[in-house]
């Protein structure tokens, strides 16, 4: 295996930087250092950990413009989205800087006069994280911030497509005063790092964002040493538009959900489920607005849709579009794609498909691309049946101005995150995670620090 890997700009095919692979020995040494640093870091008082996290956030904000440009070059997303992600990433650090001071224990009334019962919380130990390429900043801080706040040490392996943002974040953490062995970055292929992490006696927790098959493998491999696991896995989000919805608002929110990062997000709308009374009107308005989206290099002003990250992702998207059209779907806009195999650049123009049905691949597989398939429904129960017809349960969206419809959908959609008249519900102070095969545990909010803490019960007798 080569000693280095190349980080390429997916919009131009240009080399951004060559990065050294860490060997198995390098990674094991990093894990051992993190394990040894845990004893000292876990004893640092909560207010000091909070102060260091706030300083880290400040350092990132001071370098926001440069970080965003690096992110766009390695990831391809439009610059304004990269700038937004830097803010989102520091939101997690800021939130958990405060939560560090709110890790409370409690006392419990004893069952005899001579006893006292005290419950305390303590950090689990060294945490190993594997993060994805689509949000190289926010997916890392969503894990690192609560881990560090809780008193854990942390080692992250970013995606090989987008390691530079993470590397810079870790450098800034060290500049902020967080010890080098407390928060570290290693670079390696996911399969190699995953095997090392799950097999290590030093790692007490694995946290992963990525595909469901890889998540299942990590869970299985963590079982031998009974590691804690948090898994944020695949999605196949439905977006339901009821006949009483504000159609223009629903169109804008659908675009915000579906086409962010060229549709390469785990929570973007994958199936647009529209009541038949309004499906023609909604489809026409959506296509008109989608046609205005500009495709191009994320560093160019006005770009809304950047490149697809790689050939594998591009091929899957094109295959789904062709399959749908072959089976009777109509492309109202888009159905255009460009590939430069020599440069490794792949673009899919934002596409709206009408007359989609359940026989089509796109209704059963996560697209991870800028394609909005529209399927009609007659009544709300039918919409729920279509929406829940998947092993995934990460995010769902619906648009209605009827509280009865909204309440019914809220209670019957099997999803961990639901947006009611809201195409962008994610927030650092809210719990993020899915049901069914979309994951285990939650990240963000009060719930997000829990997976990094153990509960200890002390019973004092003979008092």
């Amino acid at each position: 295996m080569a000693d280095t890997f190349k980080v390429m700009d997916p919009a131009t095919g240009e080399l951004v930087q060559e990065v050294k692979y860490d060997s198995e020995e390098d990674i094991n040494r990093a894990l051992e250092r993190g394990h040894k640093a845990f004893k000292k870091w876990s004893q640092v008082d909560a207010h000091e950990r909070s102060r260091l996290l706030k300083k880290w956030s400040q350092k990132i904000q001071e370098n926001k413009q440069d970080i965003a440009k690096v992110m766009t070059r390695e990831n391809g997303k439009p610059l304004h989205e990269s700038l937004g992600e830097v803010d989102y990433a520091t939101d997690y650090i800021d939130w958990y800087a405060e939560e560090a001071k709110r890790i409370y224990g409690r006392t419990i009334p004893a069952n005899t006069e001579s006893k006292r019962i005290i419950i305390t919380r303590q950090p689990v130990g060294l945490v190993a994280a594997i993060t994805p390429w689509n949000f190289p900043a926010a997916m890392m801080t969503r894990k690192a911030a609560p881990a560090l706040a809780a008193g854990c040490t942390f080692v992250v392996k970013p995606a090989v497509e987008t390691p530079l943002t993470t590397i810079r974040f870790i450098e800034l953490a060290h500049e902020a005063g967080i010890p080098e062995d407390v928060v570290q970055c290693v670079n390696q292929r996911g399969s190699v790092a995953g095997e090392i992490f799950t097999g290590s006696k030093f790692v007490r927790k694995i946290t992963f964002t990525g595909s469901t098959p890889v998540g299942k493998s990590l869970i299985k491999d963590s079982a031998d040493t009974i590691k804690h696991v948090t898994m944020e896995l695949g999605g196949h989000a439905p977006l339901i538009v009821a006949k009483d919805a504000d159609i223009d608002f629903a169109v804008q929110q659908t675009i915000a959900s579906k086409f962010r990062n060229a549709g390469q997000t785990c929570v973007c709308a994958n199936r647009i489920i529209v009541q038949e009374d309004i499906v023609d009107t909604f489809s026409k308005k959506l296509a008109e607005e989608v046609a205005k989206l500009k495709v191009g290099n994320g560093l160019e002003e006005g770009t809304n849709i950047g490149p697809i990250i790689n050939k594998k992702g591009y091929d899957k998207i094109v295959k789904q579009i062709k399959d749908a059209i072959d089976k009777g779907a109509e492309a109202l806009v888009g159905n255009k794609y460009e590939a430069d195999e020599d440069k490794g650049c792949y673009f899919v123009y934002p596409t709206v498909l009408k007359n989609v049905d359940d026989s089509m691949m796109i209704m059963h597989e996560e697209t991870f691309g800028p394609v909005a398939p529209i399927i009609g429904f007659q009544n709300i129960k039918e919409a729920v049946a279509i929406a829940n017809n998947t092993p995934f349960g990460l995010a769902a969206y619906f648009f209605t101005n009827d509280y009865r419809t909204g309440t019914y959908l809220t209670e019957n959609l099997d999803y961990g995150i639901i947006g009611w008249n809201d195409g962008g519900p994610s927030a650092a102070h809210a719990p993020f995670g899915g049901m069914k095969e979309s994951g285990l545990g939650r990240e963000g909010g009060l719930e997000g620090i829990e997976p990094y803490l153990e509960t200890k019960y002390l019973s004092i007798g003979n008092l």
Side-chain angles (χ1 to χ4, degrees), residues 21-280:
Y21 275 122
D22 288 295
S23 67
E24 183 174 349
E25 293 75 18
D26 293 333
I27 296 173
N28 281 320
R29 280 194 292 269
L31 296 177
E32 186 171 4
R33 289 196 304 271
H35 171 70
K36 288 179 177 177
F38 169 70
K39 185 173 183 180
K40 187 173 181 180
W41 177 251
S42 63
Q43 293 172 353
V44 172
D45 72 84
H47 288 262
E48 175 63 7
R49 293 200 302 268
S50 176
R51 185 190 69 80
L52 290 170
L53 283 167
K54 289 176 181 176
K55 193 171 179 183
W56 184 23
S57 175
Q58 180 184 343
K59 288 276 186 185
I60 293 168
Q61 284 294 327
E62 288 170 357
N63 291 270
K64 177 178 174 178
Q65 295 292 329
D66 290 340
I67 291 170
K69 287 177 183 176
V70 167
M71 193 189 306
T72 291
R73 288 206 69 201
E74 66 177 349
N75 171 280
K77 67 177 62 179
L79 183 59
H80 68 89
E81 289 190 20
S82 294
L83 289 164
E85 185 180 341
V86 176
D87 288 338
Y88 186 40
T90 54
D91 281 348
Y92 282 103
I93 301 175
D94 294 340
W95 172 261
Y96 286 109
E98 295 300 320
E99 289 302 294
K101 297 178 287 186
R102 300 190 179 100
I103 300 171
Y104 302 133
R106 70 186 194 275
T107 59
I108 298 175
N111 54 327
T112 67
E113 292 180 2
S114 64
K115 282 189 177 185
R116 301 292 183 272
I117 297 174
I118 300 171
I119 309 300
T120 56
R121 312 300 302 281
Q122 65 184 47
V124 299
L126 173 64
V127 175
I130 300 175
T131 55
W133 53 263
N134 57 343
F135 290 96
M139 296 304 97
M140 190 275 285
T141 62
R142 194 158 77 183
K143 302 173 190 303
L148 297 173
C152 299
T153 48
F154 187 83
V155 176
V156 59
K157 188 220 80 73
V160 293
E161 292 90 350
T162 58
L164 304 179
T165 301
T166 301
I167 290 170
R168 185 62 183 136
F169 268 51
I170 300 299
E171 290 172 349
L172 291 170
H174 298 157
E175 287 182 25
I178 300 173
E180 290 189 6
D181 289 347
V182 168
V183 57
Q184 304 176 74
C185 175
V186 295
N187 288 291
Q188 185 49 264
R189 290 186 179 90
S191 57
V192 176
E195 189 173 332
I196 296 169
F197 286 170
T198 54
S200 173
K201 64 181 180 181
F202 300 122
V203 173
R204 291 307 313 138
K205 176 175 175 61
I206 302 283
T207 175
F208 170 73
T209 297
S211 74
T212 295
V214 173
K216 288 179 179 179
S217 177
L218 289 170
I219 293 168
K220 289 176 184 176
D221 292 345
S222 295
D224 288 342
T225 49
I226 317 296
K227 298 187 195 304
H228 296 249
V229 294
T230 297
M231 298 284 149
E232 197 261 280
L233 307 177
H236 193 32
L239 186 149
I240 298 169
V241 185
K243 62 185 178 182
D244 60 84
D246 180 330
I247 294 178
D248 291 331
F249 180 75
V251 164
Q252 292 303 322
Q253 291 291 298
T254 300
I255 290 171
S257 171
K258 173 71 258 186
F259 296 103
R260 184 166 54 110
N261 198 17
Q264 298 172 111
T265 87
C266 55
V267 294
C268 72
N270 268 309
R271 296 165 294 151
I272 317 301
I273 306 166
V274 184
Q275 201 146 19
E276 289 180 354
D277 308 58
I278 60 166
V279 69
D280 289 339

Side-chain angles (χ1 to χ4, degrees), residues 238-242 245 249-250 253 273 380 396-413 418-423:
L239 186 149
I240 298 169
V241 185
F249 180 75
Q253 291 291 298
I273 306 166
I380 293 299
Y397 310 90
F398 62 79
F399 294 84
T400 178
N401 289 327
D402 187 322
Y403 77 92
R404 292 163 300 185
T405 300
T407 301
Y408 179 84
L409 288 168
T410 300
E411 293 176 352
N412 286 278
L413 288 170
I418 296 179
W420 179 347
N421 291 340
D422 183 3

